Amino acid sequence: MSNAPMGITYPGGFSASGITAGLKASGNPDLALVRNNGPRFDAAAVFTSNRVAAAPVHWSRQVISDGRADAVVLNSGGANACTGPEGFANTHATAEHVATVLGVSSGDVLVCSTGLIGEQLPMDKILPGVDAAAAALGSGNEFDGGAAAATAIMTTDTVSKQAGFAGSGYSIGAMAKGAGMLAPGLATMLVVITTDAVLEPAQLDAALREATRVSFDRADSDGCMSTNDTVILMSSGASETTPDVAEFTAGLTEVCVGLAKALISDAEGAAHEITIRTFNAATEDDAVEVSRTVARSNLFKTAIFGQDPNWGRVLSAVGTTRAAFEPDELNVSINGVQVCRKGGVGDDRNLVDLSGRNVLVEIDLNAGMQEASLWTNDLTHDYVHENSAYSS
């Protein structure tokens, strides 16, 4: 990660703002606007694979189909999901209003929403909020605008999340929100990524899909997939630099991995951040499946919360997968202690220290040479409390 000012206004050609439109009862900022000032307007995006997708997801899928995006408007305080034709009409009206204010086409305006499902957005607050956000674009320090936007998209997040990468003559910036319902399906949470590199839409799309495959697709907090998940990548071309695509993809992946880990770090109620590394697998898919199955085991997650290195819960989860392995060849280590060896008892489990926040679980399948890591967190009392009375 770069130490330079990070966020979506780090690359040249972008302006942003975050304002309070009055959508949240808390009075916190709740509407953000990101504008691509060009000279190019290339873009790509990936969305939730949840079949119950929110209205802004349906709208934005249409917008991105031609590989162009001039602006993104994002609101917290309401998901606009499961809201029927009225909800889609509200998304359309929001895009139209942004287009009018910025002097662009509504077909080039992406819309993202996050918050409670099943409630209509208050358009009498959204539309004036768009006016205020547009007026705030470019006012003051450009980096302040990016930080304000990152704050405005927060819901149950405790901190805003930004990232940046300095390439060879170009840069990448990003912001993300997400603390619950973090389970992958092409993308997870809301993320906006900007770059001033010169790349074609197809190149941006390929780079984004590769980056999300090994980052957001491997952040699995609670096994619950959102209806609104969206990751957007926009390019202004302002640097006039055409990078090597492999180099750009590596930089983009670095940004996405950093944000994915930040989301897990801020997961609702989490007391432990857990990395599950499965290695010596026959295929990468096997490694991903094993890591994900363990990550979604409530028995395993509650054991970690209780600081109990219960490796039996790891093995029982591994045994439900389709991965290639022999049960008597499995090894499991927790924070460097090999508690399971050859499918049986290993070193003394009391040697495992789970008092810190970071936990590393390593699962050796002894079936090949592939590996994959996935990031999750423990299941705590605070998570239950947070989600029994959700408020954005």
Side-chain angles (χ1 to χ4, degrees):
M1 288 291 179
S2 168
N3 291 323
M6 298 183 295
I8 50 178
T9 53
Y10 179 36
F14 293 93
S15 54
S17 62
I19 60 97
T20 300
L23 308 179
K24 292 179 178 176
S26 64
N28 290 331
D30 48 26
L31 193 142
L33 186 60
V34 184
R35 180 172 188 175
N36 183 350
N37 299 303
R40 295 174 65 101
F41 302 90
D42 303 306
V46 290
F47 303 94
T48 181
S49 59
N50 195 322
R51 293 168 61 195
V52 183
V57 169
H58 290 298
W59 170 267
S60 295
R61 279 177 175 151
Q62 296 176 17
V63 169
I64 206 67
S65 61
D66 64 355
R68 174 170 179 148
D70 290 21
V72 184
V73 59
L74 311 94
N75 76 270
S76 54
N80 196 7
C82 305
T83 47
E86 181 181 352
F88 188 82
N90 286 339
T91 294
H92 189 178
T94 302
E96 290 281 1
H97 198 69
V98 171
T100 299
V101 172
L102 298 185
V104 300
S105 167
S106 63
D108 296 322
V109 176
L110 295 160
V111 180
C112 299
S113 298
T114 181
L116 192 63
I117 293 171
E119 294 186 355
Q120 298 292 347
L121 292 177
M123 297 305 290
D124 60 334
K125 296 178 179 179
I126 289 279
L127 300 185
V130 168
D131 293 333
L137 286 174
S139 62
N141 188 310
E142 61 178 319
F143 299 121
D144 292 341
T151 298
I153 62 175
M154 294 167 56
T155 50
T156 58
D157 308 64
T158 64
V159 294
S160 62
K161 303 166 182 73
Q162 300 184 83
F165 175 83
S168 303
Y170 68 95
S171 58
I172 301 171
M175 68 176 183
K177 68 79 52 183
M181 292 189 79
L182 297 184
L186 285 181
T188 303
M189 85 296 299
L190 299 185
V191 180
V192 177
I193 308 168
T194 58
T195 182
D196 50 17
V198 177
L199 290 168
E200 297 297 325
Q203 294 173 311
L204 294 173
D205 183 77
L208 182 62
R209 292 181 185 277
E210 174 56 25
T212 57
R213 185 183 72 83
V214 295
S215 58
F216 301 126
D217 271 1
R218 295 187 182 176
D220 201 324
S221 171
D222 52 16
C224 298
M225 184 192 300
S226 171
T227 54
N228 292 58
D229 300 338
T230 302
V231 177
I232 296 165
L233 172 60
M234 297 192 295
S235 174
S236 69
S239 70
E240 299 184 350
T241 297
T242 300
D244 175 77
V245 175
E247 175 195 313
F248 178 82
T249 302
L252 180 64
T253 300
E254 179 180 327
V255 167
C256 291
V257 167
L259 287 174
K261 290 183 176 181
L263 294 165
I264 291 297
S265 177
D266 195 30
E268 292 171 345
H272 293 89
E273 300 164 35
I274 308 167
T275 297
I276 303 175
R277 173 183 176 240
T278 299
F279 64 104
N280 288 335
T283 66
E284 184 181 11
D285 286 346
D286 276 4
V288 170
E289 182 183 359
V290 167
S291 290
R292 192 179 311 286
T293 301
V294 174
R296 290 185 175 180
S297 165
N298 288 336
L299 286 175
F300 163 74
K301 292 159 78 74
T302 53
I304 297 299
F305 172 58
Q307 299 187 31
D308 176 11
N310 191 332
W311 56 269
R313 295 182 178 182
V314 176
L315 253 63
S316 64
V318 173
T320 68
T321 70
R322 298 164 296 178
F325 66 84
E326 293 298 328
D328 58 1
E329 291 294 324
L330 295 174
N331 300 317
V332 176
S333 296
I334 301 178
N335 280 356
V337 179
Q338 193 177 74
V339 288
C340 169
R341 186 175 293 112
K342 297 294 183 180
V345 179
D347 297 336
D348 185 355
R349 58 192 286 173
N350 293 317
L351 297 174
V352 179
D353 182 5
L354 293 175
S355 61
R357 187 170 178 89
N358 294 312
V359 177
L360 173 61
V361 177
E362 295 176 290
I363 304 166
D364 180 1
L365 296 184
N366 272 312
M369 301 179 65
Q370 300 299 310
E371 71 171 86
S373 293
L374 191 142
W375 310 291
T376 189
N377 50 270
D378 53 353
L379 180 58
T380 69
H381 304 300
D382 288 341
Y383 176 85
V384 176
H385 177 75
E386 180 79 43
N387 286 281
S388 62
Y390 175 80
S391 174
S392 61

